[in-house]
Amino acid sequence: MLEEKNSGAAGIAVVKKFDNEWKILGLKSAKPKHNGMFDLTKGMIDSGESPFEAAVRETYEESGIPPRDLNFEWGRVSKPCAKVTVYIASTKSEPFITANPKTGNIEHTEAKWMTIDEFEDQCIGYLRPVAVWVRDIVNKSSTKN
């Protein structure tokens, strides 16, 4: 009997403040079907792993941003999007593209800080509601400062 694969995925919308503007980390997908659209750090939840743990691990694996450099200043709020649970965290770190540690494949060709509008326009379609959610959260926090 085949072992059943966990059907869920998790990721983090990583944001960084530049002057007075929040930008979101976009990873250009290497998958031909995505036609150069941008993705978030995300991946499958491993057996025994919580969605939050998977999101943090995937962010490190795909962007090189270590867990200690992720600040969940809005709490561990999440948004379900398709079969992906997405969290939001800020960082002061710079990303870099690495190969998938299990397969050795390059899943992304570029890591880029984008305005949230740019990300919304250029992301994989099902992630657009995440861009709207992130914009709402970071703009609310910016009006408090």
Side-chain angles (χ1 to χ4, degrees), residues 1 3 15-16 19 25-26 34 36 39 41 52-53 60-61 64 71 86 100-101 104 111 113 120 126-127 129 144:
M1 186 171 173
E3 185 176 303
V15 296
K16 185 174 183 177
D19 296 317
L25 177 60
H34 292 149
D39 202 351
T41 60
F52 182 79
E53 291 166 336
Y60 179 62
E61 288 177 3
N71 180 3
V86 181
N100 181 303
W113 292 111
E120 185 178 10
Y126 77 89
L127 293 173
K144 293 178 185 174

Side-chain angles (χ1 to χ4, degrees), residues 101-113:
K102 292 178 184 145
T103 66
N105 295 335
I106 298 289
E107 297 175 353
H108 305 100
T109 60
E110 179 184 0
K112 177 179 175 182
W113 292 111

Side-chain angles (χ1 to χ4, degrees), residues 83-125:
K83 290 185 179 180
V84 182
T85 301
V86 181
Y87 299 87
I88 181 172
S90 65
T91 191
K92 293 182 191 267
S93 293
E94 286 301 317
F96 57 90
I97 299 295
T98 59
N100 181 303
K102 292 178 184 145
T103 66
N105 295 335
I106 298 289
E107 297 175 353
H108 305 100
T109 60
E110 179 184 0
K112 177 179 175 182
W113 292 111
M114 312 171 77
T115 68
I116 297 170
D117 289 345
E118 287 172 332
F119 182 80
E120 185 178 10
D121 289 342
Q122 298 174 48
C123 71
I124 300 166

